[in-house]
Amino acid sequence: MTFSFNRNIIRWIIIVSSFIIISLILWNTYTFFQNFKVEERSKMNTWSVAVRDIGTPRLNDEVNIVTDHVITETIINTPVLVINENGELSTSRNIDESMLRDSLDVKRLVDQFKNENTPIEVNMDSNSKQLIYYGNSPLLNKLKFYPLALLLIIFLFAAVVYFFYRSSKIAEQNKLWTGMAKETAHQIGTPLSSLVGWAEILKMENVNPEYILEIEKDIDRLQTITERFSKIGSVPTLKNMDIVEVTKSSYEYLKSRTSKLINFEIKIPDQKINVNLNEQLFSWTIENLVKNAIDAMKGKGDLKVELTQLEQYVYINISDTGKGIPKSSFTKIFEPGYTTKKRGWGLGLSLSKRIVEDYHNGRIKVLTSEIGKGTTLQIKLKQS
């Protein structure tokens, strides 16, 4: 408990520290942006003074060297429009000439620059004045998107870390479940061997053979369950088998040990259909689906198992008259831990999905479902 508490503290320290670092970076970027904007404003003020100086009448035609330098060299990338007192374009800098041919385009640029920066008024003389409209330089525009790019990079990095952590956690959980399953199989093995011995003793005691036959069936069943648990976590061996017989065998076992309030129906072909199967795991899947259907009907209703063959595929449909599944949950029911039962673990359907899709290269899905009327689950496997 102390270890878990310390781990949570460390996790919160990392989260808070990351938030502080991100906030400092964003604040520093914002401050840099504002300082850069102030610097550009200062350059534009200097340029406006030079514009006024050039427009001031002189005794001779000579232009001050400093003024000429400011006019030509100060504004390198900043787009500028100079509008006279009549609202006409006087001059421009760093703007494509094609954008200045239409007065409407010029007006749009003026409105854009006005939103980006406050225009500078230049008094040329007592009777005239000009307004200098300027936009943000390309570098300044790029800086506006820098925080977004930075946040995107941080988000992607956090997503990678999260998915790595989640994958590691899932792998750790799978390893734990695999170990528990194998240990369960090992623990069942000891009393199972004892039951086999007791069955042989009962045979010598002239006990009713029918009783012994049922006991042997349950012993075989326990052996099958043990084999199933022992195969979890390892790649199972697939054999070319008759899926019709395997499905029928699983169906009959469940039918004989299920409430008489369930009306069972099976529809299977008369001929053999060979599929690469692991018998123990496939029968486990059928049992999980049938038991899930029985739970959905609350132990009373109609249950149908139908096996059909179409081209190179085999389809097993398991239908019930239970409460149905909302369409939004068609894929969720196969997720580990998802369950609507009060005492359910949410492992049966997820395990079935893994057996069908990962081990048998098949597909399992909700074929149809209607609230209050029932559900049909379908398994699709390729013939061998």
Side-chain angles (χ1 to χ4, degrees):
M1 184 173 180
T2 303
F3 172 76
S4 178
F5 178 74
N6 291 336
R7 186 170 61 180
N8 288 332
I9 291 178
I10 294 173
R11 185 181 303 167
W12 277 108
I13 290 175
I14 294 173
I15 292 173
V16 172
S17 300
S18 302
F19 179 78
I20 293 174
I21 292 172
I22 293 172
S23 300
L24 289 174
I25 292 174
L26 293 177
W27 174 253
N28 183 65
T29 305
Y30 173 77
T31 304
F32 178 75
F33 178 84
Q34 294 300 321
N35 290 338
F36 198 84
K37 201 173 180 67
V38 169
E39 185 177 341
E40 283 204 347
R41 182 74 179 184
S42 176
K43 288 181 179 179
M44 288 305 306
N45 284 326
T46 303
W47 193 79
S48 67
V49 172
V51 169
R52 183 179 60 188
D53 188 47
I54 288 180
T56 301
R58 299 176 180 276
L59 296 176
N60 52 49
D61 294 334
E62 292 183 1
V63 178
N64 189 298
I65 297 177
V66 175
T67 300
D68 183 63
H69 178 78
V70 170
I71 289 292
T72 56
E73 302 295 334
T74 302
I75 308 302
I76 299 176
N77 296 314
T78 305
V80 178
L81 291 173
V82 180
I83 306 297
N84 61 26
E85 59 185 356
N86 298 322
E88 298 173 346
L89 178 63
S90 176
T91 186
S92 66
R93 294 291 301 273
N94 303 316
I95 298 177
D96 191 350
E97 291 294 332
S98 62
M99 301 178 65
L100 303 176
R101 294 170 185 168
D102 191 341
S103 59
L104 291 177
D105 290 336
V106 174
K107 186 177 184 304
R108 279 194 289 267
L109 283 175
V110 168
D111 292 338
Q112 176 186 333
F113 293 167
K114 190 186 299 184
N115 290 331
E116 292 178 355
N117 298 285
T118 303
I120 300 174
E121 185 176 313
V122 180
N123 295 313
M124 305 304 295
D125 53 44
S126 59
N127 297 321
S128 66
K129 64 178 180 180
Q130 292 182 338
L131 285 175
I132 298 176
Y133 296 91
Y134 69 99
N136 294 330
S137 65
L139 179 58
L140 201 58
N141 285 328
K142 290 179 182 178
L143 281 174
K144 287 195 301 184
F145 298 103
Y146 175 74
L148 295 177
L150 183 63
L151 285 175
L152 179 61
I153 293 172
I154 293 172
F155 173 77
L156 292 175
F157 178 76
V160 170
V161 172
Y162 170 75
F163 285 116
F164 174 77
Y165 171 76
R166 190 166 182 266
S167 299
S168 301
K169 189 174 182 180
I170 291 173
E172 184 179 347
Q173 290 176 347
N174 288 339
K175 188 176 180 181
L176 175 63
W177 284 111
T178 300
M180 289 179 64
K182 291 184 179 296
E183 179 63 21
T184 301
H186 177 72
Q187 293 293 335
I188 292 176
T190 302
L192 184 59
S193 300
S194 178
L195 287 174
V196 172
W198 282 110
E200 293 298 324
I201 292 174
L202 290 175
K203 287 180 183 179
M204 294 185 291
E205 294 293 332
N206 296 322
V207 176
N208 189 333
E210 292 183 1
Y211 298 162
I212 297 176
L213 180 61
E214 291 301 318
I215 291 174
E216 288 179 338
K217 285 182 180 179
D218 286 331
I219 289 174
D220 291 339
R221 179 66 178 173
L222 286 172
Q223 289 175 334
T224 300
I225 293 172
T226 304
E227 290 181 16
R228 289 174 180 173
F229 277 102
S230 64
K231 285 180 170 62
I232 292 179
S234 58
V235 179
T237 302
L238 304 182
K239 295 181 181 180
N240 193 274
M241 303 183 68
D242 178 16
I243 192 172
V244 175
E245 182 60 33
V246 176
T247 304
K248 183 180 178 181
S249 176
S250 300
Y251 166 84
E252 289 179 346
Y253 177 84
L254 290 167
K255 182 180 178 181
S256 63
R257 286 163 173 76
T258 305
S259 169
K260 301 301 180 182
L261 297 176
I262 300 294
N263 299 316
F264 279 89
E265 180 184 354
I266 186 169
K267 186 178 180 180
I268 56 177
D270 295 329
Q271 73 276 12
K272 292 183 177 181
I273 302 176
N274 288 337
V275 176
N276 289 327
L277 289 177
N278 181 282
E279 183 178 0
Q280 288 82 9
L281 294 181
F282 179 75
S283 62
W284 196 359
T285 299
I286 297 296
E287 291 169 18
N288 280 336
L289 298 184
V290 170
K291 289 178 180 177
N292 189 74
I294 293 172
D295 289 339
M297 297 186 292
K298 296 182 179 179
K300 183 180 180 180
D302 299 326
L303 192 146
K304 181 181 180 181
V305 177
E306 183 178 7
L307 191 150
T308 57
Q309 178 185 8
L310 182 61
E311 295 179 350
Q312 297 298 316
Y313 293 94
V314 178
Y315 299 88
I316 302 102
N317 293 345
I318 299 176
S319 306
D320 63 62
T321 55
K323 59 184 179 180
I325 303 170
K327 194 170 184 179
S328 59
S329 299
F330 277 16
T331 56
K332 289 182 181 179
I333 63 171
F334 296 105
E335 295 177 0
Y338 181 86
T339 180
T340 57
K341 306 171 189 175
K342 292 182 178 180
R343 298 183 180 180
W345 284 49
L347 297 176
L349 291 179
S350 63
L351 182 61
S352 299
K353 181 180 177 68
R354 183 170 184 178
I355 291 172
V356 172
E357 298 189 356
D358 294 350
Y359 294 158
H360 291 86
N361 295 319
R363 290 290 179 269
I364 183 171
K365 66 179 182 178
V366 179
L367 185 63
T368 60
S369 186
E370 188 173 349
I371 301 298
K373 292 189 176 182
T375 302
T376 298
L377 297 179
Q378 183 183 80
I379 298 173
K380 176 183 176 183
L381 296 173
K382 190 173 183 180
Q383 287 184 241
S384 57

